[in-house]
Amino acid sequence: MNAELKGFHSPDIYDLEKYYPEIEDNFCFYLEISVGVKNENGAEQFGLTVCTPRWLLENKRDEEIIFGKNYLIVFEYNYYKIFNKINYYIEKLNGNSWEELALKIGRISCWEFEDYQE
């Protein structure tokens, strides 16, 4: 079983393809990706923060230490590079179940059901 990127959008940016940050090396936004089983209907949401090193430096508190999970650190805004990097990661994943695939995708993002318990 393989994963497939089915959607790519940001609640912070109306059109990711046309977006250009005010400061090329200093920006941050939340990105939501929809991923499902390849060649099947349905998808679940995963989220990550896309930001630059400069943004991290300028927006941290002096005492803060940041874990890198759910962050995609870029040096410039390039929609196609970001899309292709995420798509490549997802396309090469395989597993015996959707849960196994989702946990692997969750290594780079926050799965909407990550800590779900019945």
Side-chain angles (χ1 to χ4, degrees), residues 85-99:
K85 183 72 170 182
I86 293 169
N87 192 48
Y88 176 76
Y89 177 84
I90 290 169
E91 279 185 342
K92 67 180 183 170
L93 295 177
N94 59 62
N96 295 316
S97 67
W98 168 247
E99 290 74 21

Side-chain angles (χ1 to χ4, degrees), residues 43-105:
E44 293 182 9
Q45 299 300 307
F46 297 81
L48 61 156
T49 300
V50 178
C51 64
T52 62
R54 182 174 169 192
W55 184 90
L56 282 170
L57 286 170
E58 292 185 10
N59 290 278
K60 70 166 183 61
R61 294 183 300 263
D62 289 337
E63 72 282 356
E64 191 169 29
I65 296 174
I66 301 170
F67 287 104
K69 187 176 184 311
N70 305 335
Y71 280 84
L72 178 63
I73 300 168
V74 299
F75 297 93
E76 65 181 355
Y77 184 78
N78 183 310
Y79 171 82
Y80 298 103
K81 283 184 181 180
I82 294 169
F83 178 87
N84 289 334
K85 183 72 170 182
I86 293 169
N87 192 48
Y88 176 76
Y89 177 84
I90 290 169
E91 279 185 342
K92 67 180 183 170
L93 295 177
N94 59 62
N96 295 316
S97 67
W98 168 247
E99 290 74 21
E100 187 178 331
L101 285 173
L103 289 172
K104 290 179 180 181
I105 300 161

Side-chain angles (χ1 to χ4, degrees), residues 5 8 20 23 50 59 66 84 96 108-110 113 116:
L5 180 61
F8 194 81
Y20 191 80
I23 303 172
V50 178
N59 290 278
I66 301 170
N84 289 334
N96 295 316
I108 65 162
S109 60
C110 181
F113 298 111
Y116 176 76

